[in-house]
Amino acid sequence: MSLDYLAGGSDKAAFDKQTLKLIDEIEELEPSVKDKLIFLANAIIRDAKTGKAYAH
């Protein structure tokens, strides 16, 4: 059992090193660049979820 679980956090709080590195790099970006990257990431995630929903 993780401390996140005990504290009421998500079990998804454990990220791999690559994800943590990306998060750090995104946080260092200029706000306008960060906003564009987040917009694109959200679009890709939305499309992946839509594709998965229609695959069944």
Side-chain angles (χ1 to χ4, degrees):
M1 185 175 305
S2 71
L3 287 176
D4 288 327
Y5 179 81
L6 292 173
S10 171
D11 60 344
K12 294 182 181 180
F15 298 110
D16 60 40
K17 288 181 182 180
Q18 182 180 14
T19 302
L20 290 173
K21 185 175 186 245
L22 272 173
I23 291 168
D24 286 340
E25 291 177 358
I26 290 168
E27 286 300 316
E28 294 175 5
L29 295 172
E30 295 291 324
S32 63
V33 176
K34 184 178 173 181
D35 289 344
K36 290 174 188 173
L37 181 58
I38 291 172
F39 176 83
L40 289 172
N42 281 326
I44 292 167
I45 292 167
R46 180 199 63 228
D47 291 351
K49 286 181 178 180
T50 299
K52 186 177 179 180
Y54 286 106
H56 293 111

